[in-house]
Amino acid sequence: MPTDNFIESSFWNFDALFQPQQHPARDQHDTFFLKDPAEALQLPTDYVHRVKRVHSHGGYGSQGYKYNWKLDEARKNLLRTHTTAASARALYRLAQKKPFTPAKYFSIDRVFRNETLDATHLAEFHQIEGVVADHGLTLGHLMGVLREFFTKLGITQLRFKPAYNPYTEPSMEVFSYHQGLKKWVEVGNSGLFRPEMLLPMGLPENVSVIAWGLSLERPTMIKYNINNIRELVGHKVNLQMVYDSPLCRLDAEQGSPQTQETT
Amino acid sequence: MPNGEIQKLIITEETAKIRPYAVAAVLRNIKFTKDRYDSFIELQEKLHQNICRKRALVAIGTHDLDTLSGPFTYTAKRPSDIKFKPLNKTKEYTACELMNIYKTDNHLKHYLHIIENKPLYPVIYDSNGVVLSMPPIINGNHTKITVNTRNVFIECTGTDFTKAKIVLDIIVTMFSEYCENQFTVEAAEVVFPNGKSSTFPELAYRKEMVRADLINKKVGIRETPENIAKLLTRMYLKSEVIGDGNQIEIEIPPTRADVIHACDIVEDAAIAYGYNNIQMALPKTYTIANQFPLNKLTELLRYDMAAAGFTEALTFALCSQEDIADKLGLDISATNAVHISNPKTAEFQVARTTLLPGLLKTIAANRKMPLPLKLFEISDIVIKDSSRDVGARNYRHLCAVYYNKNPGFEIIHGLLDRIMQLLDVPPGEKKRGYVIKASEGPAFFPGRCAEVFARGQSIGKLGVLHPDVITKFELNMPCSTLEINIEPFL
C-alpha cells in the first residue's frame, strides 16, 4: 500500500476508522497535531457524509456513538499515529472498483506518537500492517494467516487473547512464548474491521477485512537483545553494531519450523 | 419506590453554555462495608478516567441523601457568587479561591481547565442552598458519603448526554445489589430548561436479532443455534433461539453500552467459545503480489549504496527548526516545512525537509568511530504542498555524506555517477541524461557546490559543506554531501 505520506488528516487517521472524536487517543497527549498546514484542504464529500452519519446516528446495522460529529475536528492535520490510516485509504480505493475483487495488502512505514519517551519508546517508530479483504473471511482465517506470517519470522507457539481496538471487532492480541525470556510476549495486534468502517466506504456487505499489525522495533530489540531503542533508531545509533551485524536470516534459525508449503 | 415523590433535579438555562446535561438517580437503603465503599469510589474514578474522558465529558457526584433536602437545582453562576465548604476542607471558600487552591493539588489540577476560563461555573444546590457539588471539580463536604451512608443521590453532569446516561446506568447497576431491595434503583426526575422532564436512569434494555449462521460464518465455527445462544448467555447477553430456529434474539443490558453492532455480539460469542479453540484456516483466494514501485526502487538502491561502501542510517523525521534552517544557513520560512503545534521539546518542532541534519547528527554521535565515516539514508522528507488533499507530501530522498580529514568531494561525485549508472541515466544534457552545473548554497563551501539536473529537472545538490555547518553540527572535520530526490526515476 502506498504510505508515502507522514502527514494525514484526522479524518483518515481516526474518523474513517470509526474512532470517535472524543476518544482519548485524539488528545494532544498522544497525537502530534500540526500548526502548519493545520487543516486538510480536501476530503471526499459524499464519503465524509456517510462517516458523519454512522458516528452520530448509526446505520449500517449500528447504533452509532450518538454524539455531534464535527467536520472541523476531522479536518485537523496530524502526523499519522498508525499506518492503519493508509489502509483506510487503500480500502476506500478498493471499494470504488466495481465489481469487488479480493485483495491482500501490506505496508511497513513510520508512525508518530506524542507519548512519554523512555528507554523503549520514541516519538517515531515503524509499523508493519497486513490486510486481507475477501468474501467470507473468518476469525479462523485471521488466525491461519497470522500463524503463517509469524512462522516466516521464526515466531511460533502462538496464542490469541481477546483485545479492544476502536476499529476492529472481534479483536485479538497475539502472543508467542519466548524461550529466552521464559514468558509469553505480545507479538502483534489484529482483528476484523468493523462494519461501521467498511460499509460507508462502499465495500459489499459480505466482504470481511482481516488486519494485523506489529511494530518493527520491539521484535528487533528482543531478537538482538537491545535494551535502549536509541541504539537502534535515530542518530544515536551504535554504528559499530551496524558494521558488525550478521545477516538477518529468520528462516535459518535453529529448529526452524515448517510452513505449509515446505512440509 | 419511596414513600412520597421521587427526587427532582431542575436544570436551569445558564448551564447550557458550560455543561448542559445532567441525569440523576437514587440508591435507597444501601449497605456499605469498607470494601464496597472503596470500590464505589474507585468505580467513579475509573469511569472518570476512561468513558468520561477525564471528567471533560461527564463528571459524577455521589451524595448522602439524608443530609439533603430536594428538589435540587443544577445551575451556573459567576465564580465569585459560589461559596461552600468543599470535600475534606474545614472552611468555606469561593469558587475563585478554590481554583487557586487546587492549582497545586496533584489530583484536581488536571480538571481545572474544563471550567476555569468560563464566565459561569456549574453548581448544584439543594432546596436549602446547600452545595452538593461544583462539577467537574469537587463535591461539597456536607454531603460526604461514609461507610454508614444509607441513601445515595447520584448526579452525572457533562457535555455528552449519551455518555452521562451510560455512566449513570453503570453505577446504579453495579451497586444496586447492595441495596436492601436488591437490584432496585430509585428513579429521579430531571426537569430541563425548556420545561420538559424525564426520569432516570434509563436502564434501557435492547433486543438485537442475529442469525446463528452469521456468527458461525464470522468466527469460523460450526455451532448449533442453541449452543450459540448458550455461549452468549454465558457472556451476560441473555439469548434464545426464536422463529425458524436460525434466529437468535439477544437481550442487551444497560451495562453493555459497548454493544452497538452485531459484530460486538460476534466477538462475545467467539470469546465464550475460546479463541484458541477456533480452527485455523487460510484464505482460499489467490492474489498476485506487487511491490510499491517507490519502495522497490529504494530497496534496490539501498543494497548498491552499501556495496559502494556507505553505511545506512535510520534517522528521525522530526527535528528542530534550527536543524533544517539556521544550521544550514537558511531562514525557516524559506524551507516550506511542516510545523507541529505545541511541541513538547524543540526536537519535535518541524518535519525534516532534508536528510542531511540526521546524517550529520549521526556522525556527531559516533565521533569515536574510525574515519572516514560514510553514511547514507534513502527515506522520506516532508514539504508543504497545497495540491495534496492534506496540504503536504513526502518526497523520497537519497542522501550520502563523506566525513574525513579531506572533504572527499570526488568520492561523493563518484557516488552520484554510480547511482546514475544504476538508474540507467546516461551522462549528458540529452533528455534522459544527467548533468551537474556549478551552483552555490548557504550550506556549501563557495566554489565547491553543484546542482544535479536529470531528465530535465533539478533533482538536488552535491558539494563540500561550509565550515559553519560543520561547526553548528558539532563536527570538526571536512564533509561532502549529496542529496537528491529519487522520485523522477520511477
Side-chain angles (χ1 to χ4, degrees):
Chain A
M1 291 184 274
T3 52
D4 53 334
N5 65 312
F6 292 162
I7 309 303
E8 191 52 278
S9 61
S10 291
F11 179 74
W12 287 108
N13 198 77
F14 294 123
D15 298 278
L17 296 172
F18 198 54
Q19 192 157 343
Q21 290 183 337
Q22 331 116 309
H23 195 277
R26 291 173 88 146
D27 273 340
Q28 291 273 3
H29 316 295
D30 295 333
T31 303
F32 284 111
F33 285 100
L34 298 192
K35 188 159 65 182
D36 182 24
E39 289 197 332
L41 304 170
Q42 270 173 50
L43 291 174
T45 328
D46 289 343
Y47 177 43
V48 169
H49 265 109
R50 296 194 292 270
V51 169
K52 170 177 179 164
R53 203 164 26 114
V54 76
H55 276 243
S56 47
H57 291 112
Y60 305 106
S62 176
Q63 300 291 305
Y65 291 125
K66 299 193 173 64
Y67 72 100
N68 284 333
W69 188 90
K70 299 204 177 78
L71 181 62
D72 283 345
E73 191 62 42
R75 294 180 71 179
K76 286 186 183 163
N77 275 342
L78 43 80
L79 287 167
R80 66 173 173 222
T81 60
H82 46 197
T83 47
T84 321
S87 302
R89 285 183 183 263
L91 288 170
Y92 178 73
R93 268 195 302 274
L94 179 68
Q96 309 318 303
K97 290 201 209 129
K98 313 277 185 205
F100 170 78
T101 41
K104 294 181 187 138
Y105 298 137
F106 80 94
S107 67
I108 305 172
D109 210 332
R110 201 177 296 231
V111 298
F112 304 84
R113 298 264 172 99
N114 193 8
E115 287 170 345
T116 325
L117 307 182
D118 60 30
T120 56
H121 291 90
L122 285 170
E124 15 183 325
F125 59 101
H126 294 76
Q127 282 188 334
I128 303 167
E129 187 148 328
V131 175
V132 181
D134 199 356
H135 299 282
L137 290 176
T138 70
L139 208 50
H141 287 123
L142 174 56
M143 292 162 74
V145 169
L146 288 169
R147 181 180 57 186
E148 297 307 318
F149 173 80
F150 281 106
T151 300
K152 291 249 180 215
L153 295 179
I155 295 171
T156 53
Q157 270 188 289
L158 296 181
R159 280 185 77 77
F160 303 93
K161 192 176 140 200
Y164 170 75
N165 295 311
Y167 36 85
T168 55
E169 187 91 2
S171 313
M172 302 195 304
E173 272 164 13
V174 191
F175 286 81
S176 172
Y177 190 74
H178 192 276
Q179 296 293 349
L181 299 171
K182 293 260 181 294
K183 62 176 182 172
W184 290 89
V185 292
E186 187 182 344
V187 294
N189 198 339
S190 66
L192 270 78
F193 281 131
R194 291 189 73 106
E196 295 98 329
M197 169 184 161
L198 304 175
L199 296 177
M201 288 180 178
L203 286 168
E205 218 174 298
N206 53 12
V207 166
S208 298
V209 183
I210 58 178
W212 70 98
L214 58 153
S215 88
L216 257 189
E217 283 78 2
R218 189 152 192 273
T220 310
M221 287 171 68
I222 293 176
K223 178 179 166 64
Y224 291 100
N225 239 325
I226 299 172
N227 292 322
N228 192 327
I229 194 172
R230 283 158 191 74
E231 286 177 44
L232 185 64
V233 178
H235 50 267
K236 295 199 178 137
V237 67
N238 181 353
L239 268 187
Q240 193 63 55
M241 173 199 78
V242 180
Y243 289 164
D244 295 343
S245 289
L247 297 173
C248 178
R249 300 177 60 200
L250 295 168
D251 55 339
E253 311 267 282
Q254 217 180 26
S256 154
Q258 308 291 303
T259 62
Q260 281 209 336
E261 287 75 43
T262 53
T263 34
Chain B
M1 286 301 283
N3 324 317
E5 289 185 358
I6 56 175
Q7 296 296 333
K8 207 192 287 210
L9 175 69
I10 302 160
I11 307 180
T12 71
E13 59 183 12
E14 286 85 356
T15 61
K17 291 214 179 86
I18 175 150
R19 205 168 176 83
Y21 305 107
V23 294
V26 171
L27 285 172
R28 188 62 72 180
N29 291 321
I30 195 168
K31 184 90 177 69
F32 280 118
T33 61
K34 175 113 193 4
D35 280 346
R36 292 174 188 176
Y37 175 82
D38 289 343
S39 175
F40 192 58
I41 304 296
E42 195 190 348
L43 174 64
Q44 291 173 62
E45 260 319 295
K46 285 260 187 305
L47 289 170
H48 275 158
Q49 286 310 306
N50 45 60
I51 193 177
C52 301
R53 207 183 181 192
K54 299 201 179 106
R55 301 196 192 182
L57 296 184
V58 183
I60 308 160
T62 53
H63 312 276
D64 188 331
L65 185 55
D66 296 332
T67 67
L68 295 165
S69 161
F72 305 102
T73 307
Y74 173 47
T75 184
K77 281 180 141 172
R78 279 196 315 228
S80 46
D81 294 340
I82 301 173
K83 189 168 180 174
F84 66 105
K85 192 197 297 184
L87 198 62
N88 296 328
K89 292 254 186 265
T90 49
K91 67 184 201 70
E92 290 196 337
Y93 295 93
T94 65
C96 311
E97 292 169 329
L98 287 176
M99 282 299 178
N100 255 324
I101 293 173
Y102 292 137
K103 271 196 175 50
T104 52
D105 183 308
N106 274 326
H107 178 48
L108 295 176
K109 66 183 182 189
H110 304 287
Y111 310 119
L112 301 180
H113 71 97
I114 300 171
I115 59 172
E116 199 165 20
N117 296 317
K118 305 279 196 290
L120 305 177
Y121 287 0
V123 59
I124 305 180
Y125 294 102
D126 82 343
S127 62
N128 294 325
V130 174
V131 170
L132 277 72
S133 63
M134 185 175 75
I137 310 297
I138 190 84
N139 288 350
N141 198 55
H142 183 105
T143 61
K144 180 173 174 165
I145 294 191
T146 68
V147 168
N148 300 318
T149 301
R150 296 285 296 163
N151 298 298
V152 180
F153 179 70
I154 305 164
E155 35 89 359
C156 298
T157 59
T159 53
D160 184 321
F161 197 30
T162 306
K163 296 225 159 55
K165 291 188 279 187
I166 291 173
V167 166
L168 186 68
D169 282 356
I170 292 177
I171 298 178
V172 301
T173 48
M174 285 191 74
F175 280 89
S176 60
E177 93 173 88
Y178 304 125
C179 294
E180 200 168 272
N181 220 337
Q182 265 200 331
F183 303 115
T184 313
V185 183
E186 182 180 306
E189 184 186 354
V190 173
V191 182
F192 302 108
N194 61 10
K196 296 212 173 85
S197 69
S198 283
T199 52
F200 296 97
E202 277 185 357
L203 290 182
Y205 283 75
R206 205 162 62 78
K207 281 204 170 20
E208 186 126 5
M209 288 238 273
V210 181
R211 291 185 59 86
D213 61 2
L214 174 83
I215 295 182
N216 278 327
K217 258 189 351 197
K218 289 282 180 189
V219 179
I221 54 179
R222 281 208 279 266
E223 291 290 299
T224 64
E226 287 73 29
N227 277 347
I228 294 179
K230 275 206 199 108
L231 290 174
L232 289 173
T233 305
R234 258 172 47 202
M235 299 295 288
Y236 278 88
L237 292 173
K238 216 159 64 164
S239 305
E240 60 178 341
V241 181
I242 62 159
D244 58 355
N246 257 312
Q247 296 268 32
I248 302 179
E249 188 181 73
I250 300 131
E251 184 186 73
I252 299 161
T255 46
R256 293 301 304 272
D258 62 303
V259 176
I260 59 175
H261 190 286
C263 64
D264 297 299
I265 295 168
V266 170
E267 185 182 82
D268 271 26
I271 294 174
Y273 186 85
Y275 280 5
N276 293 299
N277 296 327
I278 300 171
Q279 194 154 39
M280 299 194 203
L282 280 178
K284 291 195 167 43
T285 310
Y286 278 91
T287 45
I288 299 184
N290 275 309
Q291 250 185 303
F292 187 54
L294 183 57
N295 293 341
K296 187 168 188 173
L297 177 60
T298 302
E299 294 300 304
L300 291 169
L301 280 172
R302 287 170 70 208
Y303 286 109
D304 271 284
M305 291 291 287
F310 283 75
T311 302
E312 188 173 30
L314 208 192
T315 63
F316 295 130
L318 303 180
C319 57
S320 66
Q321 285 188 29
E322 276 86 48
D323 284 335
I324 59 168
D326 311 50
K327 292 187 191 171
L328 299 174
L330 291 171
D331 191 86
I332 187 69
S333 50
T335 58
N336 221 7
V338 166
H339 289 251
I340 288 136
S341 80
N342 301 337
K344 278 194 195 129
T345 74
E347 290 310 299
F348 307 132
Q349 285 173 327
V350 292
R352 68 187 173 197
T353 52
T354 151
L355 297 175
L356 183 60
L359 292 183
L360 293 176
K361 283 156 96 168
T362 306
I363 297 179
N366 283 275
R367 235 179 254 112
K368 299 201 182 99
M369 299 297 293
L371 296 173
L373 278 171
K374 297 157 72 175
L375 301 182
F376 82 93
E377 187 166 8
I378 309 179
S379 186
D380 286 356
I381 59 123
V382 185
I383 299 275
K384 276 170 54 171
D385 183 340
S386 53
S387 73
R388 288 295 175 104
D389 66 344
V390 294
R393 62 160 292 175
N394 288 14
Y395 281 99
R396 187 64 51 91
H397 273 205
L398 179 158
C399 185
V401 291
Y402 179 91
Y403 181 78
N404 200 8
K405 296 196 179 101
N406 59 29
F409 179 69
E410 68 285 359
I411 306 227
I412 288 293
H413 188 177
L415 180 66
L416 172 67
D417 290 342
R418 175 62 183 152
I419 294 168
M420 291 297 124
Q421 190 178 45
L422 290 167
L423 292 172
D424 200 18
V425 180
E429 200 118 38
K430 291 198 308 270
K431 216 171 116 201
R432 302 289 291 167
Y434 78 103
V435 71
I436 67 172
K437 295 190 179 158
S439 172
E440 48 181 40
F444 292 98
F445 206 99
R448 288 280 181 280
C449 170
E451 195 165 350
V452 186
F453 293 87
R455 301 199 171 156
Q457 51 180 291
S458 166
I459 59 164
K461 285 196 168 123
L462 76 161
V464 177
L465 286 178
H466 196 289
D468 284 351
V469 175
I470 306 288
T471 320
K472 287 191 181 139
F473 280 95
E474 294 170 23
L475 301 173
N476 47 28
M477 296 279 175
C479 184
S480 319
T481 176
L482 159 72
E483 184 166 4
I484 56 170
N485 171 14
I486 65 167
E487 298 201 15
F489 303 105
L490 282 172

